[in-house]
Amino acid sequence: MASSLTKDSVRPDIGAEKTFFGHPRGLATLFMTEMWERFSYYGMRALLPLYLVAPSGLHMNAGTATAIYSVYVSLVYLLALPGGWVADRLLGPRKTVAVSGLIIMLGHLCLALPVSASFFVGLVLVAIGSGLLKANISTMVGHLYKGPDDARRDGGFTLFYIGINLGAFIAPLAIGTVGENVNWHFGFALAALGMALGLGQYLLGSRHLSEQSNVVPTPLTAEEKRSTLRKGLIWLAIAVVFYGIVGGTGHFTLNWALIPLTIIGLVIPVMVIARIRRDKDLDATERSKVSAYIWFFVAAAVFWMIYDQGGSTLSIFADASAKNTIAGWEFPVSWYQSVNPVMIMALAPVFAWLWLWLNRRGKEPSTMVKFASGLVLVGASFFLFLAPLSIAQGGHKAAALWLVAIYFVQTVGELTLSPVGLSVTTKMAPQKYASQMMGVWFLAVTAGDSITALLSNPAVGGINLDRMGFVGLEAVLAVVAGIAVWMYRKKVKAMMGSVN
């Protein structure tokens, strides 16, 4: 572990100061901030689809609930792009994270109010705050170390990653239990409390952070600020006038917000990648790498389209058609959302060791093979989903272990695709877009969830995503996509140049 490093590897500027498992003290601040933010986010996310369909909640149909959930998740990842821009051009990472924590806390408080209008305002606020935070807190972890060659850097990010999954694991157990068994809005209020704790300790511990986190890398000029404000106000005015007319004439429904956001989630990823691909400042090698990256992006979008239904389609199915008991002990449906993070914490070190072990023997699979494996595994998870669906169609309740098995297979698929995707994104990014490409990777989640929202929305696709025919179709799609990636691996590898 990083804590066993010698004194020679410790930064001289921290001297004899207290450390966090051998790492800069600021890592503890960021670890706890991210843990509490993930606690609030994943706890609320675990409750969201269940609250939307519950008779004691908003009592919506499964299609509308899935559409809302999917649009919400897509927005979180879409807003990571402007979140990075705010830090780079306006506030700097440290202030941006503080503002984001406050916005998230206010969003959860809005969710805690038993009023439909404030509920949807709360969802928007949490999405905005999460997007602002997600883009910047990892950057500040990097600021704690002396560049990419600092021997403790990888260990620091590993600890930080544990914080993410620790918060995600605890959240459904605490917030889910309160929300389902006591009161939905008390559950959302507990998420607000979690974020308040995270924000409080962040502000108290910010003195331990690197001064680099206070820097605005490329601040806007006075003219750029005026131009940005002017454009923002124009678009805001257009939206207010448009929705004012729609609402004033009595035509407004939830889909006037859902469908435009769904379309935006599909169009923006395409526009961003196309703009990068056409940039004349890129040389031939960089353009070739971007072309190859499109394969990874599309594969990831298919993966996340299915994977993220673990929080919507699978959760709603479990609520209605599963026997949520183990050895006669009944547990809240939201607890299924703790299965993935605990498996990530258990299996991530195993996979990290496995890739190194195979690499030393010259047998480590290529990035393309890992991606293909992830797609096949997420497809296999939905083939597995056909079994409990069949049991439910026969008028019986499916056993909880069926769902646990599905989440297990999806987690293994995630570990073969997600960390590899993050790595290959940094390797294939053109120099001009070195920072922005991580936001592009997150857009694959946006695209995948937007497709789910479009398919499930009763006003558009109207597809019941928990029907055997469509689940089977999605499973086949993922497996075929995985096979296609494997078949074209040599062609894509040629476009990747020196990247492995």
Side-chain angles (χ1 to χ4, degrees):
M1 279 296 292
S3 56
S4 65
L5 294 172
T6 64
K7 289 183 179 179
D8 293 335
S9 64
V10 179
R11 280 174 53 180
D13 57 317
I14 63 174
E17 289 183 12
K18 292 182 180 179
T19 63
F20 180 64
F21 294 101
H23 292 266
R25 179 65 179 80
L27 183 62
T29 298
L30 298 177
F31 176 97
M32 295 298 292
T33 303
E34 182 71 348
M35 187 193 77
W36 282 115
E37 188 274 332
R38 292 291 89 181
F39 172 86
S40 67
Y41 173 77
Y42 279 102
M44 183 279 292
R45 207 172 94 156
L47 282 187
L48 178 58
L50 302 175
Y51 172 73
L52 292 174
V53 300
S56 58
L58 296 185
H59 204 191
M60 296 178 173
N61 61 60
T64 301
T66 300
I68 292 172
Y69 175 90
S70 300
V71 166
Y72 165 73
V73 175
S74 74
L75 273 180
V76 169
Y77 288 90
L78 176 64
L79 291 169
L81 274 180
W85 182 89
V86 169
D88 287 344
R89 308 302 307 273
L90 288 174
L91 299 177
R94 188 185 298 189
K95 289 180 181 177
T96 302
V97 168
V99 170
S100 70
L102 179 61
I103 293 172
I104 292 169
M105 185 181 70
L106 292 174
H108 287 305
L109 289 174
C110 288
L111 293 172
L113 298 174
V115 181
S116 295
S118 71
F119 179 82
F120 290 105
V121 170
L123 278 184
V124 172
L125 288 175
V126 175
I128 292 171
S130 297
L132 286 170
L133 185 140
K134 191 169 188 66
N136 294 293
I137 194 163
S138 296
T139 300
M140 289 199 294
V141 174
H143 289 165
L144 297 172
Y145 300 96
K146 294 181 65 177
D149 295 328
D150 192 315
R152 300 169 300 159
R153 187 182 180 91
D154 286 351
F157 273 98
T158 300
L159 283 172
F160 182 70
Y161 192 63
I162 290 172
I164 292 173
N165 285 284
L166 187 60
F169 168 67
I170 297 171
L173 305 180
I175 294 173
T177 302
V178 171
E180 288 190 65
N181 294 344
V182 181
N183 181 282
W184 296 109
H185 299 285
F186 288 175
F188 294 129
L190 185 56
L193 176 62
M195 192 64 250
L197 291 171
L199 179 60
Q201 70 83 38
Y202 174 77
L203 295 174
L204 289 172
S206 60
R207 67 184 184 277
H208 299 294
L209 301 178
S210 167
E211 284 304 313
Q212 189 180 351
S213 299
N214 261 332
V215 175
V216 182
T218 53
L220 292 173
T221 64
E223 176 55 36
E224 286 175 325
K225 287 181 180 178
R226 286 192 293 270
S227 175
T228 301
L229 180 62
R230 184 168 57 250
K231 291 175 182 177
L233 290 174
I234 289 172
W235 281 108
L236 178 62
I238 291 171
V240 169
V241 170
F242 176 78
Y243 283 104
I245 293 172
V246 173
T249 56
H251 291 93
F252 182 81
T253 65
L254 190 57
N255 277 319
W256 280 101
L258 285 181
I259 294 174
L261 289 173
T262 302
I263 294 171
I264 287 171
L266 290 170
V267 170
I268 287 182
V270 175
M271 290 177 60
V272 169
I273 291 178
R275 178 176 63 83
I276 294 174
R277 176 67 180 78
R278 293 198 305 266
D279 192 330
K280 294 181 180 178
D281 289 341
L282 304 187
D283 58 33
T285 300
E286 289 177 320
R287 276 205 194 89
S288 179
K289 288 180 180 178
V290 173
S291 296
Y293 186 76
I294 293 172
W295 279 81
F296 295 105
F297 184 91
V298 173
V302 173
F303 178 89
W304 296 118
M305 178 187 73
I306 296 175
Y307 178 92
D308 276 346
Q309 288 183 57
S312 54
T313 305
L314 281 173
S315 186
I316 293 171
F317 171 82
D319 187 40
S321 304
K323 189 188 299 181
N324 303 309
T325 60
I326 294 179
W329 173 68
E330 187 172 0
F331 57 88
V333 176
S334 53
W335 282 25
Y336 284 112
Q337 301 310 308
S338 289
V339 173
N340 171 259
V342 76
M343 287 182 174
I344 287 285
M345 288 188 287
L347 295 177
V350 175
F351 272 78
W353 170 84
L354 177 64
W355 299 142
L356 285 173
W357 184 79
L358 290 172
N359 181 269
R360 285 195 294 267
R361 286 156 179 76
K363 295 180 179 180
E364 182 183 2
S366 67
T367 300
M368 292 294 289
V369 172
K370 291 176 182 176
F371 256 71
S373 301
L375 284 167
V376 170
L377 283 165
V378 83
S381 77
F382 262 36
F383 278 125
L384 191 59
F385 188 19
L386 294 175
L389 284 173
S390 177
I391 292 169
Q393 283 191 356
H396 304 285
K397 293 277 189 177
L401 289 178
W402 280 113
L403 294 165
V404 172
I406 294 168
Y407 286 117
F408 172 77
V409 175
Q410 290 187 345
T411 300
V412 176
E414 179 187 0
L415 287 169
T416 65
L417 182 141
S418 184
V420 178
L422 290 168
S423 177
V424 80
T425 297
T426 60
K427 292 176 182 177
M428 295 175 66
Q431 186 173 357
K432 182 177 178 179
Y433 297 98
S435 299
Q436 295 180 46
M437 282 299 285
M438 196 55 70
V440 174
W441 168 252
F442 290 141
L443 288 180
V445 184
T446 296
D449 281 298
S450 294
I451 293 170
T452 299
L454 204 63
L455 293 171
S456 63
N457 193 320
V460 188
I463 296 172
N464 292 324
L465 299 183
D466 63 349
R467 294 296 178 265
M468 292 187 67
F470 194 76
V471 169
L473 182 62
E474 288 185 278
V476 170
L477 171 65
V479 172
V480 169
I483 293 171
V485 168
W486 182 80
M487 288 178 63
Y488 284 87
R489 66 192 185 282
K490 292 182 180 178
K491 177 181 178 180
V492 177
K493 178 65 179 70
M495 292 190 289
M496 292 168 65
S498 59
V499 176
N500 292 315

